[in-house]
Amino acid sequence: MTGERDLIDELSRIFGLPPPQVVCGIGDDAAVIAGQGGEYLLWTVDALIEKVHFDLTYMPLRQLGRKALAVNLSDIAAMGGKPRYALLALGWPPERDLFGALELARGMQEVAQETGVTVIGGDTVSSPGSLSMSLTVLGQVKKEELLRRDGAQIGELIYLTGPVGLAAAGLETLRRGLTLTETERTLLLQAFFDPQPQILAARVLARNHLATALIDLSDGVASDLFQICRRSNVGAVVESTLIPVPAPVAEVAAQIGKDPLELALKGGEDYLLLFTSPPDREKALYLHFSEAGLGTPICIGKIVRGNRVWLRRPEATQDISGMGFDHFRLKEL
Ligand SMILES: Nc1ncnc2c1ncn2[C@@H]1O[C@H](COP(=O)(O)OP(=O)(O)O)[C@@H](O)[C@H]1O
Ligand SMILES: Cc1ncc(C[n+]2csc(CCOP(=O)(O)OP(=O)(O)O)c2C)c(N)n1
Ligand SMILES: [Mg+2]
């Protein structure tokens, strides 16, 4: 086993196949359980661990609360669903002021109110040394609107709902104390601190049957597109010239001596949507997004035969399958 994905594959072998009422078990953004009246229940959990997901020296607790819920909601969005209820398991370091936990909860409650979610339970324990939390979110989606990772077909187009690399560049800015203009800094830190779960965009895709496969971007395009490919038994070609890399991301990349595309495709924590859609739905896609007041989706490539993710650059084509954030293959970007 060489990383997180291999470990999950092995765990899923141990846990075995789920019973028939489980429409989708291990392997998608959330588990899907057949509910009543043509509704499916969506069930997801994400842990956030100090020093792995956040550093309290630069992450205010209120922001952390916002982000903790937002990244979980992103997994419900990634199934085309509506988030409803959340449970919070909190591991609080006993040496840390307990009032800090209230700040965290206030941040979470802000996002809950913004998205129509209610926190209905949890667990509170001490966690010597580091703050940890785990959020469980329950959502719902109509049976015919469920969007999974496994529906991509050869010839379809691959889209993003926004520019990539901002959060990763924000993290590098904080970590390395980079000097940027105030506008650049604000944009990057906002993306890193306060990701906006793409619930509306996902609902537009789901309601109008505009996507065939959907995932949210937590580990980066290279890794998350590979998950779509693995589940759909297809390959993908991403065109380097089509990747939306904002100028401040390129600026950070230059300051840290990295390739901007690398930061944009492998940095992670974008929490945008990555989806596939048939070419003949392109007009409808743009129209529905524009009618909903959403930015135009950005086409970055195409689904092809095979099982790898290729990045086509003017000078060469490179295999980027599964590259990006992995909990057990940590290396400095
Ligand atoms: N420890 C685990 N036990 C069982 N299932 C797991 C475990 N870790 C991850 N999974 C499942 O593996 C799939 C991929 O997980 P992950 O990559 O963390 O998804 P996401 O990026 O959407 O959070 C999901 O369906 C998740 O529920
Ligand atoms: C202190 C710190 N170090 C590193 C990172 C970068 N980082 C942490 S988790 C992550 C990827 C997403 O987290 P994960 O737990 O894999 O989410 P999931 O894919 O399960 O939704 C990234 C890029 C960070 N945010 N903070
Ligand atoms: Mg996860």
Side-chain angles (χ1 to χ4, degrees):
M1 289 194 291
T2 60
E4 184 186 331
R5 297 288 147 195
D6 289 348
L7 176 57
I8 294 175
D9 288 348
E10 292 301 323
L11 291 175
S12 102
R13 239 164 249 138
I14 292 174
F15 294 135
L17 285 178
Q21 67 272 25
V22 179
V23 177
C24 185
I26 296 174
D28 219 301
D29 293 284
V32 185
I33 299 158
Q36 284 168 349
E39 287 273 336
Y40 282 162
L41 292 177
L42 303 170
W43 207 354
T44 179
V45 61
D46 260 318
L48 283 101
I49 309 291
E50 187 176 353
K51 301 286 177 205
V52 175
H53 294 90
F54 56 89
D55 187 328
L56 289 169
T57 58
Y58 46 67
M59 187 91 177
L61 284 162
R62 204 179 184 113
Q63 287 294 343
L64 178 59
R66 288 189 62 92
K67 183 164 175 178
L69 183 56
V71 304
N72 271 270
L73 300 183
S74 181
D75 277 326
I76 298 291
M79 306 303 291
K82 296 178 199 160
R84 292 283 187 230
Y85 304 106
L87 301 171
L88 165 66
L90 185 60
W92 193 259
E95 62 280 7
R96 193 171 265 285
D97 186 356
L98 289 179
F99 282 98
L102 304 185
E103 264 308 281
L104 183 90
R106 283 189 198 104
M108 231 170 245
Q109 180 61 11
E110 282 171 14
V111 173
Q113 277 173 345
E114 287 161 19
T115 53
V117 168
T118 315
V119 180
I120 56 167
D123 191 27
T124 305
V125 296
S126 69
S127 172
S130 73
L131 200 172
S132 70
M133 73 189 114
S134 165
L135 267 143
T136 303
V137 177
L138 193 68
Q140 50 188 168
V141 65
K142 283 198 192 111
K143 198 174 168 171
E144 62 280 9
E145 294 181 4
L146 177 72
L147 281 167
R148 308 164 44 132
R149 293 178 179 177
D150 62 5
Q153 304 277 334
I154 292 159
E156 287 179 348
L157 300 174
I158 305 164
Y159 294 90
L160 289 173
T161 52
V164 280
L166 291 167
L171 174 60
E172 291 304 321
T173 302
L174 291 165
R175 227 185 219 160
R176 304 180 192 232
L178 304 180
T179 310
L180 299 168
T181 67
E182 206 42 48
T183 325
E184 287 172 334
R185 195 180 157 81
T186 306
L187 183 75
L188 299 183
L189 297 200
Q190 183 145 334
F192 176 69
F193 282 143
D194 206 20
Q196 302 295 309
Q198 308 272 292
I199 302 166
L200 175 61
R203 289 294 307 135
V204 169
L205 292 176
R207 249 195 329 257
N208 301 292
H209 306 285
L210 294 164
T212 50
L214 172 62
I215 191 170
D216 74 316
L217 285 174
S218 56
D219 298 327
V221 170
S223 174
D224 294 324
L225 179 53
F226 188 50
Q227 300 314 316
I228 284 190
C229 289
R230 268 183 16 137
R231 301 284 296 177
S232 305
N233 284 313
V234 292
V237 175
V238 169
E239 302 292 343
S240 65
T241 51
L242 298 180
I243 307 295
V245 184
V249 174
E251 172 60 27
V252 166
Q255 287 196 24
I256 66 176
K258 293 283 169 195
D259 176 357
L261 271 179
E262 181 117 336
L263 201 56
L265 296 176
K266 304 179 192 167
E269 297 189 279
D270 301 294
Y271 297 106
L272 298 166
L273 302 177
L274 174 71
F275 63 95
T276 55
S277 181
D280 63 6
R281 299 290 281 149
E282 195 176 10
K283 267 212 182 94
L285 179 65
Y286 291 157
L287 193 68
H288 284 292
F289 265 56
S290 142
E291 276 175 7
L294 294 162
T296 311
I298 304 151
C299 178
I300 59 164
K302 214 177 191 175
I303 295 296
V304 297
R305 214 175 287 282
N307 56 11
R308 308 300 296 172
V309 177
W310 301 99
L311 174 63
R312 186 146 60 200
R313 311 181 86 139
E315 62 279 13
T317 297
Q318 187 192 345
D319 186 347
I320 57 165
S321 312
M323 291 178 180
F325 188 86
D326 183 303
H327 281 279
F328 304 107
R329 276 193 270 130
L330 293 177
K331 68 169 177 68
E332 284 286 303
L333 250 175

